[in-house]
Amino acid sequence: MLEQLLIFTRGGLILWTCGNALKGSPIDALIRSCLLEERSAETFFSYDAPAGGAAYNLKWAFHNDLGLVFVAVYQRILHLLYVDDLLAAVRREFSQIYDPKRTAYDEFDEIFRQLQKEAEARAEEMRKSKQSNRAPLMAGKKQGAGAGQRAGSQGNAKQKGGKGSSGKDDGDGELGKGRGLSNGQENGTKEHSRAPSVVVKGKENGAPVSGAFDVNKLQKLRPKGGKKTDTGTGKASKAEPKKIVKKNRVWDDSPSDSKLDFTDPADEKGDEVVDFGKADHGESMMDKEEIVNSESESEEDEEVESTKPGTKKKGWFSSMFQSIAGNAVLDKADLKPALKALKDRLMTKNVAEEIAEKLCESVAASLEGKKLGSFTRVSSTVQTAMEEALLRILTPKRSIDILRDVHAAKEQGKPYVVVFVGVNGVGKSTNLAKVAYWLLQHDISVMMAACDTFRSGAVEQLRTHARRLQIPIFEKGYEKDPAIVAREAILEASRNNSDVVLVDTAGRMQDNEPLMRALSKLINLNNPDLVLFVGEALVGNDAVDQLSKFNQKLADLSTVPNARLIDGILLTKFDTIDDKVGAALSMVYISGAPVMFVGCGQSYTDLKKLNVKSIVKTLLK
């Protein structure tokens, strides 16, 4: 049974509703987690009410021209087949009586009841027709099995005159043949019916994937007349002068004239004698406002529609008339070429393929059925819609002002704890030192906690940063429990009145179960104020896998009901990617966490904020 059906505008005004009271807030969760995050192309949304309440599935439909949203809510345990049909009917009927000046539609109650009865009747008829179609198939299977058994019994009767044992064996063989024949015919029929789908789904069902090694490609890459080339090179090598003879090794103990050791002088203990003064590298880039040129670049937008094969190019007069009239209603066929070009452009900017596909589907769902404006083209309309979608995704949904949160924690008499997590080699320790330097410039006392007790040299690396920045570091060496080290560091910071504790953790792959379990223990035991995921800006499709599995492992391995997930993202090596900025979009889309810092160099000042408008402009350039 349908729990609730709701009709509201894109501005949030509820026009009509029907049904029972819902447990929790499934509609709010749908808007916040799906519609605002450009995931509207998905087929349904699942919602679990808090405190062990009901579990709902939500389906929705849009009327983009009128700006209406239709949402149906039903319990997950019920598999209602008529929901999509009912939403389409409600959308069709309500759009005929909709008036932007009205806010109440009481007369739609009777119309909805009639539509629901018709949809349920159609679903029941479809269910009965499927059952009636299954009956002949089952009868055919039984007849085939009966024919096989009869053939086997006839074989047994024929062989009774011979040896008893051999007769039984032969009879069994005939029976096996009969069964094999019937099964073989059925399987052959099924395989024949499946054959077209196998061809269509070549990548999923065994066809060679694009990343696999292909001998045919190698043969194509070989230059023509390869053998002749080899013989020519052989002759040329014969004509070469003498080979360079290796010099004899000098075995005596005489010292070499050339200086090979360029390291700094060391004391007797082996420690380098370096005078670390307080590092002052200037103002951090976090406090500098980045100026972005708002003028649009003069680019000629290509008409994607005219490049479609098999379509005639419109004449000058007809295209001019259509652009002036502006009454063309957009459908999937009109949007497909422009979205295909936009998807390819996003993927060249290092956006994960899965994310680019979902974004284009969401934009298509938001534009389908809309009327094209005057003097506008499909490509420019799609571009504008995608730009708005990217701005919504990349703009943080909550405050990312760490300085304000630090002062709020200081007033409560406790340190503000930040935990840095991520895979191996992304630059967690280096960027932790950059964040520490930025906090020091705002007169905030910082303490480092060396909780990477797994990698050799990790404690020494953090100790060097602490010495250069002249800030305290809490360390317990190697092979210790990181969760206990972090807890002791927080207690030490409370005794010393430190404002912020920056916790460095070991790099770990998202599939490493023991290390992920240790990370979950550290977060659950210490309950940090901020969990920062440090990721490279160089990754493409792997960004989706890393973040989704990190969040999934933290949720699965948590010992508390409300598991702590990733709160923010720190993107490193941003200065090495040129215009390939798609990793920022992939990470934000898959996790919902904002990009709080961007590492763009090797020095302590090379840390800045993410400029959302600049990223969107680069993605669509």
Side-chain angles (χ1 to χ4, degrees):
M1 179 181 177
L2 200 66
E3 290 291 324
Q4 193 178 80
L5 196 139
L6 189 72
I7 304 174
F8 57 93
T9 65
R10 287 188 181 271
L13 177 63
I14 298 176
L15 301 175
W16 182 85
T17 181
C18 176
N20 306 321
L22 302 175
K23 295 180 181 179
S25 304
I27 304 294
D28 293 342
L30 171 70
I31 295 171
R32 190 171 53 249
S33 304
C34 193
L35 302 185
L36 291 179
E37 294 290 333
E38 293 302 323
R39 292 180 173 88
S40 56
E42 297 179 1
T43 55
F44 66 94
F45 175 75
S46 296
Y47 173 80
D48 293 316
Y56 298 112
N57 275 352
L58 290 85
K59 289 193 173 185
W60 59 92
F62 298 114
H63 196 300
N64 292 314
D65 194 25
L66 300 179
L68 301 178
V69 184
F70 305 83
V71 180
V73 187
Y74 59 95
Q75 291 194 14
R76 192 180 304 167
I77 196 172
L78 303 176
H79 299 284
L80 303 183
L81 302 176
Y82 61 87
V83 176
D84 293 326
D85 189 17
L86 179 62
L87 281 173
V90 169
R91 177 181 178 275
R92 182 181 64 250
E93 295 296 330
F94 191 83
S95 62
Q96 295 178 2
I97 65 171
Y98 174 68
D99 184 3
K101 297 179 182 179
R102 291 180 59 186
T103 57
Y105 295 87
D106 296 332
E107 72 275 11
F108 193 68
D109 293 347
E110 186 60 34
I111 300 174
F112 172 71
R113 279 193 288 270
Q114 186 64 29
L115 292 175
Q116 188 175 12
K117 288 180 182 178
E118 293 175 359
E120 289 176 351
R122 283 193 296 269
E124 186 66 21
E125 287 178 6
M126 288 178 60
R127 188 179 64 81
K128 289 180 179 179
S129 63
K130 285 182 180 179
Q131 288 180 352
S132 61
N133 290 335
R134 282 179 190 169
L137 292 174
M138 296 298 294
K141 288 181 180 179
K142 289 179 180 178
Q143 288 177 3
Q149 289 176 358
R150 285 196 296 274
S153 62
Q154 288 176 5
N156 286 335
K158 287 180 182 178
Q159 297 295 332
K160 267 187 178 180
K163 296 179 182 180
S165 61
S166 64
K168 285 181 183 177
D169 294 339
D170 293 343
D172 291 341
E174 290 294 328
L175 179 60
K177 287 180 182 177
R179 288 176 182 168
L181 178 62
S182 61
N183 291 333
Q185 288 174 351
E186 292 168 11
N187 291 334
T189 310
K190 290 180 182 176
E191 288 173 6
H192 182 70
S193 64
R194 282 199 209 108
S197 65
V198 172
V199 175
V200 174
K201 300 180 181 180
K203 289 187 179 179
E204 296 180 6
N205 291 299
V209 295
S210 58
F213 181 79
D214 192 356
V215 180
N216 295 327
K217 292 182 181 179
L218 185 62
Q219 290 176 352
K220 289 178 183 178
L221 292 173
R222 283 181 182 169
K224 294 181 179 180
K227 292 182 179 178
K228 293 180 181 179
T229 311
D230 293 338
T231 54
T233 54
K235 290 178 182 178
S237 62
K238 288 180 183 178
E240 283 180 1
K242 297 192 224 176
K243 292 182 180 179
I244 301 173
V245 182
K246 184 179 177 182
K247 294 182 179 180
N248 295 329
R249 185 185 297 273
V250 180
W251 292 101
D252 57 356
D253 297 330
S254 58
S256 175
D257 296 334
S258 59
K259 180 184 177 183
L260 298 178
D261 187 8
F262 293 95
T263 57
D264 293 325
D267 59 6
E268 295 178 356
K269 295 181 181 178
D271 296 330
E272 294 181 7
V273 183
V274 181
D275 183 17
F276 284 100
K278 180 155 183 170
D280 186 11
H281 299 274
E283 185 183 0
S284 175
M285 295 176 69
M286 279 288 294
D287 302 319
K288 296 179 181 178
E289 291 294 333
E290 186 176 356
I291 301 172
V292 181
N293 187 12
S294 60
E295 297 179 2
S296 60
E297 297 182 359
S298 57
E299 289 187 323
E300 294 183 359
D301 295 330
E302 298 178 355
E303 271 297 332
V304 188
E305 298 88 353
S306 62
T307 60
K308 283 200 297 183
T311 57
K312 294 181 180 179
K313 192 173 181 180
K314 295 180 180 179
W316 176 83
F317 182 77
S318 60
S319 61
M320 178 62 70
F321 178 77
Q322 184 178 354
S323 65
I324 293 174
N327 288 326
V329 178
L330 295 173
D331 56 7
K332 286 185 178 180
D334 297 328
L335 297 170
K336 189 175 180 181
L339 289 172
K340 175 68 169 62
L342 201 56
K343 177 189 171 185
D344 295 341
R345 191 185 306 173
L346 289 174
M347 288 174 63
T348 57
K349 303 294 184 180
N350 216 14
V351 178
E353 182 181 4
E354 178 187 352
I355 306 301
E357 182 72 30
K358 287 182 178 179
L359 274 173
C360 291
E361 289 175 359
S362 179
V363 169
S366 66
L367 290 178
E368 190 177 352
K370 263 191 174 181
K371 288 184 179 179
L372 200 63
S374 302
F375 296 101
T376 55
R377 295 182 298 178
V378 175
S379 57
S380 59
T381 304
V382 171
Q383 180 100 352
T384 304
M386 180 62 78
E387 185 176 353
E388 293 173 356
L390 295 178
L391 282 172
R392 277 197 302 272
I393 293 170
L394 291 172
T395 302
K397 307 300 183 297
R398 60 177 180 82
S399 173
I400 57 172
D401 190 355
I402 294 180
L403 298 177
R404 187 191 66 181
D405 297 339
V406 169
H407 288 300
K410 188 176 181 180
E411 290 176 359
Q412 297 176 3
K414 63 176 186 177
Y416 187 82
V417 183
V418 184
V419 175
F420 293 77
V421 304
V423 299
N424 307 78
V426 294
K428 290 184 294 298
S429 303
T430 303
N431 286 275
L432 181 147
K434 293 179 186 178
V435 173
Y437 181 77
W438 171 65
L439 292 171
L440 287 173
Q441 288 191 318
H442 290 273
D443 298 326
I444 294 174
S445 58
V446 183
M447 188 177 81
M448 293 182 179
C451 296
D452 184 356
T453 62
F454 184 77
R455 175 174 65 90
S456 299
V459 177
E460 288 79 6
Q461 180 185 5
L462 210 63
R463 192 188 300 155
T464 302
H465 286 304
R467 210 160 49 218
R468 290 179 63 86
L469 296 173
Q470 291 189 1
I471 58 177
I473 178 173
F474 186 88
E475 56 173 286
K476 287 289 186 179
Y478 296 99
E479 298 183 0
K480 302 293 190 303
D481 189 351
I484 304 301
V485 176
R487 186 175 64 179
E488 293 178 2
I490 295 171
L491 294 174
E492 181 69 19
S494 300
R495 286 193 292 268
N496 297 337
N497 295 324
S498 295
D499 299 331
V500 178
V501 180
L502 302 179
V503 181
D504 185 28
T505 62
R508 66 206 74 214
M509 296 306 294
Q510 59 269 25
D511 298 318
N512 193 323
E513 183 79 17
L515 287 178
M516 289 303 299
R517 192 176 295 277
L519 179 63
S520 178
K521 179 184 176 183
L522 185 148
I523 293 174
N524 292 328
L525 183 65
N526 297 285
N527 192 22
D529 299 281
L530 184 65
V531 180
L532 273 182
F533 179 84
V534 184
E536 285 182 329
L538 304 169
V539 295
N541 291 328
D542 200 37
V544 178
D545 189 57
Q546 288 178 9
L547 264 170
S548 60
K549 286 189 177 178
F550 256 82
N551 267 337
Q552 188 64 42
K553 291 289 184 183
L554 290 177
D556 293 344
L557 301 173
S558 176
T559 56
V560 294
N562 297 324
R564 283 296 303 276
L565 303 179
I566 292 168
D567 301 317
I569 299 167
L570 195 158
L571 271 178
T572 64
K573 307 175 186 178
F574 212 73
D575 55 326
T576 64
I577 57 172
D578 195 20
D579 61 344
K580 305 292 190 295
V581 296
L585 176 62
S586 300
M587 290 184 178
V588 173
Y589 187 91
I590 202 65
S591 67
V595 177
M596 306 185 74
F597 301 100
V598 173
C600 54
Q602 296 277 343
S603 63
Y604 292 130
T605 58
D606 294 330
L607 190 75
K608 61 181 182 180
K609 300 175 184 176
L610 182 73
N611 193 313
V612 175
K613 292 183 179 179
S614 174
I615 295 296
V616 172
K617 182 179 177 182
T618 305
L619 284 171
L620 298 177
K621 185 166 65 174

